[in-house]
């Protein structure tokens, strides 16, 4: 079946550092790919999506590019801030009559430089 | 204001007790979901509902059942709760499944259930 792999369970970095969270997927066909963000005490919320090869999604300074060749959709941000402290979920669209498949999530912990 | 509301926020039950988690949405969304969230496992789909009385099992339905008698309400029921059902439960809603819009899910704030 379809699956999403996020290799980092947690990322600690200094404020203003460059952030990368890795996301790889396994699916047949051409699924849509998503990033969701979950702030403490809240439910996950939609960040952005991409639905075709080489398409870039972006929101709030975060971006990711759909790469069918490497089956990846890595999340990047140039300068992380304290307010970015959250859990980030990569997800795969299930297509007709199917729900999203989520990765295991990556917790981002910004620290004072 | 688009909102998914979950009640209660926190719940403590004893093993063997029945549990009812309630979810409401004010967006007239057709599709609703129940997920559970556990450390290291992310979000796992328990049930999906396509509309009133049209429900389907997700990836981990064992030990759970659902009820949807009104489009805006979706309940998760645990008959005889078990300690391994201790988790955070999230309800979500979206527009009609099978459309691109369906993949933008709106989540509630979750219910933290502890089964002793």
């Amino acid at each position: 079946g379809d699956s999403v792999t996020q290799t980092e369970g947690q990322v600690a970095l200094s404020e203003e550092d460059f952030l990368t969270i890795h996301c790889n997927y396994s699916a047949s066909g051409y699924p849509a790919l998503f990033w969701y963000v979950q702030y403490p005490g809240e439910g996950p919320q939609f960040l952005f999506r991409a639905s075709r090869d080489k398409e870039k999604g972006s929101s709030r300074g975060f971006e990711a590019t759909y790469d069918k060749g490497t089956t990846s959709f890595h999340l990047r941000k140039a300068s992380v801030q304290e307010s970015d402290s959250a859990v980030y979920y990569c997800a795969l669209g299930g297509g007709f009559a199917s729900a999203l498949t989520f990765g295991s999530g990556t917790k981002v912990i910004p620290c004072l430089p | 204001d688009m909102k998914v509301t979950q009640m209660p926020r926190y719940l403590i039950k004893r093993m063997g007790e029945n549990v009812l988690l309630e979810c409401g949405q004010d967006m007239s969304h057709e599709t609703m979901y129940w997920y559970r969230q556990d450390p290291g496992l992310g979000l796992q789909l328990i049930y999906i509902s396509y509309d009133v009385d049209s429900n389907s099992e997700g990836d981990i339905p064992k030990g759970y059942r659902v009820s949807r008698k009104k489009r805006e309400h979706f309940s998760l029921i645990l008959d005889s709760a078990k300690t391994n059902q201790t988790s955070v439960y999230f309800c979500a809603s979206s527009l009609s499944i099978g459309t691109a819009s369906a993949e933008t899910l709106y989540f509630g704030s979750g219910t933290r259930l502890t089964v002793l």
Side-chain angles (χ1 to χ4, degrees), chain A residues 34 36 38 43-44 49 89 97, chain B residues 37 50 90 97 100 103 105 107-108:
Chain A
F34 302 80
Y36 278 74
Q38 183 181 19
R49 64 173 280 162
Y89 287 98
Chain B
Q37 182 181 52
Y50 301 106
F90 285 98
I97 199 120
E103 294 164 334
L105 270 61
F107 282 87

